Amino acid sequence: MSKGATAAKDPINIVHQSAILEETIKKEQRHQKLYTTYSVNPFRKMYTLTGKPNSTHDSADGEEDDNFLKIIHRAHQEPVKKYTFPQTEAQEIGWMSKPLIPQDREDRRLHFPRQNSEITKYMDAAWRMKEQQENLQ
């Protein structure tokens, strides 16, 4: 067939379209799972509402849902405490926050403490005296 013949297509067959739709629906139902475990979204900000003024079933010491509290506390943890490895590429930066080389102040190869010579000690004292004199005026 040539390109001109594609313009004169066969008309749409309703039976075939219905069979395709039926097969699609069956496939969706086969893989569909009914979700019945509902809870509060832990990533949303919580707004607590007070009970009605004259209701007797709302008490000040209401019972706490331990599962809900566990979910909320887990949602507010740092990613390092929640997961064993980074979940995104951006989390890889800074994931291992423990230094590779432990800090040893006695190791002279890595630790260079500030050292003052006689000149720097003299200049520190001179600057302090100059600042004190300016503050007194």
Side-chain angles (χ1 to χ4, degrees), residues 85-96:
F85 59 92
Q87 301 294 306
T88 62
E89 291 289 324
Q91 284 181 349
E92 287 183 8
I93 300 170
W95 188 264
M96 303 290 272

Side-chain angles (χ1 to χ4, degrees), residues 11-104:
I12 297 174
N13 190 345
I14 297 174
V15 175
H16 289 281
Q17 293 294 326
S18 177
I20 291 172
L21 179 64
E22 184 180 335
E23 185 178 329
T24 305
I25 291 171
K26 284 182 182 178
K27 184 177 178 182
E28 287 175 358
Q29 287 178 346
R30 201 174 28 214
H31 297 290
Q32 185 179 26
K33 293 180 182 175
L34 187 61
Y35 183 76
T36 57
T37 309
Y38 301 107
S39 66
V40 176
N41 185 356
F43 303 106
R44 295 279 317 231
K45 191 169 185 176
M46 287 279 301
Y47 295 105
T48 42
L49 299 174
T50 58
K52 294 182 181 179
N54 294 330
S55 69
T56 57
H57 68 277
D58 288 339
S59 63
D61 53 66
E63 64 253 357
E64 295 179 351
D65 187 9
D66 292 332
N67 187 30
F68 174 73
L69 288 176
K70 186 173 74 173
I71 291 171
I72 292 294
H73 289 303
R74 178 172 164 76
H76 291 291
Q77 283 181 340
E78 297 88 27
V80 179
K81 293 180 182 175
K82 279 195 262 187
Y83 310 111
T84 57
F85 59 92
Q87 301 294 306
T88 62
E89 291 289 324
Q91 284 181 349
E92 287 183 8
I93 300 170
W95 188 264
M96 303 290 272
S97 60
K98 190 171 116 180
L100 297 174
I101 301 172
Q103 287 286 0
D104 186 10

